[in-house]
């Protein structure tokens, strides 16, 4: 009865403290290390970042290649419906002139020639082309080719280019039309168990979502590159991590299937 | 020994508790009737939330606190067999609780404090409501101090002896309450009152909710303590058996002390301001708190089996038939365990992060805590009152049939009330709703479940009336000469105990340490975070 309570010789003390500490340590290891690592949405997340996120420390995404004030935002464009405004003919005409300097890769009327692997711009929603040009210029979408080209464009130039390309018809390449690939499930249904939405909910010509490109006919190499860049976090100009979240859960095989499917259309 | 002064003290606590309970019970039934398709809609949702606030505040703060306090004072005299030290302080505490109740209930009745008993900042009630709640808590802190002082006095007079189990558990409950009430006290004093008194116009609602969760779960274990003390120290004696293990009882109460505190964030599973890792940590310790309950179920069932076998029951289940089923205590413990079983199973679902998504903030949750508190716990409060009443009044409590009818009605009523709530919760009915339009085909199928719950509530009201009648008649029946009050005897008397099982220092250190581990980071982070306050929403003003 008179034995000291807080003493290593008291088995009640040592066992009780060790048991409680062990439960806490195991629970913390699962809750702060194992589960966050297993669930890490963004492959760029470091161990320390995932611990902080599990602890609830708010940490906005930071793009290390950008100055501090820009780094916390995925883009400097505020996207809203109709933010590019109505298309007028003057704008399209100016855009046609400006587009001459793009024709080397993106084709004379916005359809890239085979082998360049550049995306076609013909028929893309103006909001999509405009946002990407802004992101190239600001550095939110890094590209050694596009960034220097976009640097000298004014805001109106970008709007005009976007307007011009939106009015063009995509030219279907010869010998391409016959191949029809069945719609992959990930396009039509997504993968609900992995929290991947159906691609077609946004990327479908009939949907016309703002700032969302149409993927039909884009080169397979380009689609593969972009999905892998989203997956790895190298490309991070998607608002609310929409594309990074979706691409993170995709396997390489799925990316391959998606690229071939969209390229075939 | 049970001095006349102390008996008056305990009776005062119990009567105020039971009157508050009955008033809140009537409000509860009114909620069910106006939400059901039986009556037309009252037209003003504010009346409903006003009433829910009164129901929750009376049932959550006033009723169980007074029962625990009164029972605690009785335990001091009955188990330690010494006069209560600090009786004047005890009356002061009682008056503070009464005063606090009145001060809190006036703004509630006037519609100036319809924030529900869980406060829900950024809703801000009239300051008097919070001041009243603080007074209730301060009154109960006097009780905590008195329990500690009385135990110390006894230990001084009985060096080296084992503290009687009822007192050991009672003081564990008091310490648990002292520490768990700190969360709500901090929330009120530092976050809510400055806004309610007009010094500030914004409030950090996320931080306030974290502080409230500190209190919100362990408060249930404080409510539970009198019921568990009755399981261990009244039930075996009342049914003619013996307590299977005194040490198991001590370990259960110790485990409650350590584990019931640092788990409250499971109430915030859907709150964005707390990290998922912290939530997981709390979920694990929530699972741990089922251990003392399972130990208790085992020990008490074993004790009941002893009684059954002493009464001549044989075979694997023959002892169940031999139990004294005419005895109200026997009925109460059986009903309590059944309700605890259903409520506990639901609780395991609620504490599982993913499953909680399906039921969070639905009527399921209301069903869960009514099963545990209003079912398993309150039915034992009835049993405690029945058991103590003759010793408090000096008169016989003769209406055995009425007591049994009362317990049966409470048990059946509670099941009819809460089972439909679970069903309708899974169907998606949100809790805290004043009104449902059952003509909408989407929710028309839910109407029948609400009607069922209203019928269950009606049975509970009848049971409540019977309960008060039994106690009132107990004051008017013949005077009896009672043998000395006894608590249950264990199979093996504890003799000399290791210091760890006869004192609290180690367990209090673990309780506080674990609370700091589990709550330290979320609180520190939310305190440090800038720009987290939102405009307060005063109640009772123009919206």
């Amino acid at each position: 009865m008179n034995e000291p309570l807080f003493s290593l010789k008291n088995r009640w003390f040592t066992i009780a403290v060790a048991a409680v500490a062990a439960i806490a340590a195991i629970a913390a290891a699962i809750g702060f290390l194992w589960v966050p690592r297993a669930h890490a949405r963004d492959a760029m997340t470091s161990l320390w970042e995932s611990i902080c996120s599990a602890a609830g420390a708010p940490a906005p995404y930071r793009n290390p290649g950008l100055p501090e004030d820009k780094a916390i935002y995925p883009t400097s464009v505020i996207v809203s419906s109709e933010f590019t405004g109505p298309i007028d003919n003057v704008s399209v005409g100016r855009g046609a002139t400006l587009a001459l300097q793009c024709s080397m890769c993106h084709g004379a009327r916005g359809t890239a020639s085979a082998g360049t692997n550049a995306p076609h711009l013909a028929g893309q929603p103006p909001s999509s082309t405009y946002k990407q040009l802004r992101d190239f210029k600001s550095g939110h979408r890094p590209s050694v080719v596009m960034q220097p080209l976009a640097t000298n464009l004014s805001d109106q130039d970008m709007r005009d280019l976007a307007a011009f390309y939106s009015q063009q018809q995509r030219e279907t390449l010869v010998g391409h039309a016959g191949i029809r690939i069945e719609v992959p499930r990930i396009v039509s249904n997504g993968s609900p168990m992995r929290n991947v939405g159906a691609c077609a909910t946004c990327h479908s010509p009939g949907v016309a979502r703002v700032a969302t490109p149409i993927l039909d006919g884009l080169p397979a190499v380009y689609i593969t590159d972009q999905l892998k860049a989203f997956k790895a976090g190298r490309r991070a100009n998607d608002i609310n991590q929409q594309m990074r979240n979706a691409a993170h859960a995709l396997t390489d095989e799925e990316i391959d299937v998606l690229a071939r499917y969209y390229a075939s259309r | 020994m049970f001095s006349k002064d102390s008996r008056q003290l305990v009776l005062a606590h119990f009567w105020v508790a039971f009157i508050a309970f009955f008033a809140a019970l009537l409000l509860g039934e009114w909620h069910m009737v106006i939400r059901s398709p039986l009556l037309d809609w009252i037209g003003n949702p504010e009346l409903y939330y006003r009433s829910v606030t009164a129901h929750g505040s009376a049932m959550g703060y006033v009723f169980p606190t007074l029962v625990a306090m009164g029972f605690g004072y009785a335990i001091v005299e009955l188990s330690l067999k010494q006069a209560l030290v600090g009786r004047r302080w005890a009356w002061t505490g009682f008056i503070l609780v009464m005063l606090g109740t009145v001060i809190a209930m006036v703004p509630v009745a006037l519609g100036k404090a319809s924030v529900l008993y869980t406060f829900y900042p950024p809703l801000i009630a009239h300051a008097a409501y919070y001041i009243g709640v603080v007074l209730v808590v301060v009154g109960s802190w006097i009780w905590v101090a008195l329990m500690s002082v009385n135990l110390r006095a006894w230990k001084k007079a009985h060096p080296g002896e084992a503290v009687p189990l009822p007192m050991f558990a009672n003081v564990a409950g008091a310490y648990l309450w002292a520490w768990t009430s700190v969360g709500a006290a901090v929330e009120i004093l530092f976050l809510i009152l400055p806004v309610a008194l007009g010094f500030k116009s914004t409030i950090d609602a996320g931080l306030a909710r974290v502080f409230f969760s500190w209190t919100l779960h362990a408060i249930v274990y404080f409510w539970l303590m009198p019921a568990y003390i009755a399981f261990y120290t009244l039930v075996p004696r009342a049914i003619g058996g013996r307590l299977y293990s005194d040490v198991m009882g001590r370990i259960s109460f110790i485990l409650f002390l350590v584990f019931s505190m640092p788990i409250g964030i499971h109430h915030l599973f859907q709150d964005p301001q707390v990290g998922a890792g912290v939530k997981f940590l709390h979920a694990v310790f929530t699972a741990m708190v089922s251990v003392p309950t399972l130990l208790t179920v085992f020990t008490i069932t074993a004790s009941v089996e002893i009684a059954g076998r002493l009464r001549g029951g044989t075979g694997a289940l023959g002892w169940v038939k031999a139990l004294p089923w005419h005895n109200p205590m026997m009925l109460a413990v059986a009903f309590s365990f059944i309700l605890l079983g259903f409520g506990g199973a639901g609780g395991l679902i609620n504490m599982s992060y993913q499953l909680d998504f399906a039921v969070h903030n639905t009527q399921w949750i209301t069903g869960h805590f009514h099963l545990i508190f209003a079912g398993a716990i309150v039915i034992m409060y009835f049993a405690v009152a029945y058991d103590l009443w003759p010793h408090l009044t000096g008169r016989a409590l003769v209406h055995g049939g009425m007591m049994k009818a009362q317990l049966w009605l409470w048990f059946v009523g509670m099941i009819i009330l809460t089972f439909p709530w679970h069903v309708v919760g899974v169907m998606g009915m949100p809790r805290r709703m004043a009104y449902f339009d059952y003509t909408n085909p989407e929710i028309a199928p839910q109407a029948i479940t609400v009607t069922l719950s209203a019928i269950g509530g009606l049975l509970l009201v009848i049971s409540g009336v019977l309960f008060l009648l039994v106690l009132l008649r107990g004051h008017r029946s013949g005077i009896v000469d009672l043998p000395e009050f006894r608590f249950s005897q264990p199979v093996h008397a504890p003799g000399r105990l290791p210091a760890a099982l006869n004192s609290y220092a180690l367990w209090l250190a673990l309780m506080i340490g674990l609370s700091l581990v589990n709550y330290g980071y979320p609180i520190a982070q939310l305190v440090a975070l800038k720009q987290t306050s939102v405009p307060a929403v005063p109640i009772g003003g123009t919206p």
Side-chain angles (χ1 to χ4, degrees), chain B residues 458-477:
Chain B
L458 186 64
L459 297 183
L460 296 175
V461 170
I462 298 170
S463 173
V465 172
L466 288 181
F467 174 63
L468 294 188
L469 274 181
V470 170
L471 297 188
L472 278 173
R473 286 176 163 197
H475 282 281
R476 304 180 60 182
S477 61

Side-chain angles (χ1 to χ4, degrees), chain B residues 141-216:
Chain B
W141 283 348
I142 293 181
W143 167 76
V144 172
L146 285 178
M147 290 304 104
S148 181
V149 166
N150 277 281
L151 180 63
R152 188 159 300 179
W154 183 88
K155 276 191 165 176
K156 215 169 173 185
H158 304 81
E161 281 184 43
V163 178
L165 180 60
M167 190 60 185
F168 185 80
N170 182 33
V171 177
Y175 288 150
L176 173 67
W177 173 237
W179 182 239
T180 191
S181 54
V182 166
V186 168
E187 183 197 10
I188 290 184
L189 295 177
F190 294 103
L191 294 168
I192 292 181
L193 267 183
V195 185
L197 292 171
F199 299 121
K200 278 179 71 187
S201 60
T202 59
I203 183 165
D204 189 340
L207 179 61
R209 286 172 66 84
V210 170
F211 273 120
F212 196 77
S213 82
W214 170 301
T215 296
L216 185 54

Side-chain angles (χ1 to χ4, degrees), chain A residues 1 12-13 27 30-31 54-58, chain B residues 275-277 280-281 497 500 502 506 521 525:
Chain A
M1 195 75 189
W12 286 92
F13 172 76
I30 297 173
Chain B
F280 183 82
L281 198 59
L497 284 169
N502 209 32
L506 172 58
Y521 181 75
Q525 180 233 335

Side-chain angles (χ1 to χ4, degrees), chain B residues 32-293:
Chain B
M32 282 329 290
V33 172
I34 61 152
R35 276 169 55 145
S36 76
L38 298 172
L39 265 193
D40 197 10
W41 154 235
I42 47 169
N44 182 1
E46 204 283 321
L47 284 177
Y48 177 81
Y49 293 112
R50 192 185 296 194
S51 175
V52 173
T53 308
H55 174 83
S57 302
M59 289 294 202
Y61 296 137
V62 181
F63 169 48
T65 307
L66 284 172
V67 168
M69 289 167 72
F71 193 30
Y73 293 132
I75 287 171
V76 168
E77 295 225 336
L78 294 173
S79 80
L80 299 185
K81 304 191 194 309
Q82 69 179 25
L84 180 67
V85 179
R87 195 169 292 133
R88 211 171 269 176
W89 279 106
W91 279 109
T92 310
F94 173 70
I95 289 164
L96 275 179
V97 173
M98 293 266 287
L99 197 68
T101 306
V102 174
I103 292 177
M105 284 305 168
V106 168
V108 173
L110 293 175
K112 304 239 175 251
S114 306
V115 293
L116 313 197
Y117 90 110
T118 36
F119 306 152
Y120 291 115
L123 294 182
I124 294 292
H126 192 281
Y129 174 69
Y130 304 111
I131 293 169
V133 172
V134 167
L135 286 182
V136 170
V137 173
V138 170
S140 69
W141 283 348
I142 293 181
W143 167 76
V144 172
L146 285 178
M147 290 304 104
S148 181
V149 166
N150 277 281
L151 180 63
R152 188 159 300 179
W154 183 88
K155 276 191 165 176
K156 215 169 173 185
H158 304 81
E161 281 184 43
V163 178
L165 180 60
M167 190 60 185
F168 185 80
N170 182 33
V171 177
Y175 288 150
L176 173 67
W177 173 237
W179 182 239
T180 191
S181 54
V182 166
V186 168
E187 183 197 10
I188 290 184
L189 295 177
F190 294 103
L191 294 168
I192 292 181
L193 267 183
V195 185
L197 292 171
F199 299 121
K200 278 179 71 187
S201 60
T202 59
I203 183 165
D204 189 340
L207 179 61
R209 286 172 66 84
V210 170
F211 273 120
F212 196 77
S213 82
W214 170 301
T215 296
L216 185 54
H217 199 71
I219 196 175
V220 182
Y221 294 101
F222 167 62
W223 300 341
L224 194 98
M225 281 294 173
Y228 271 50
I229 296 173
F231 286 156
Y232 280 101
T233 68
L234 299 182
V235 168
R237 183 262 296 151
I239 63 170
R242 286 205 162 211
L243 176 59
Y244 179 69
S245 168
D246 178 275
V247 171
M248 197 75 104
R250 284 167 204 270
I251 290 176
S252 296
F253 287 107
I254 283 166
L255 289 176
F256 273 126
L257 203 53
V258 176
F259 287 129
S260 63
M261 243 309 300
I263 62 178
I265 280 179
H266 68 233
H267 290 248
L268 305 181
F269 274 167
Q270 314 305 332
D271 276 37
Q273 79 275 24
V274 182
V278 177
K279 289 172 179 170
F280 183 82
L281 198 59
H282 281 244
V284 168
F285 280 101
T286 310
M288 285 308 296
V289 92
S290 65
V291 173
T293 288

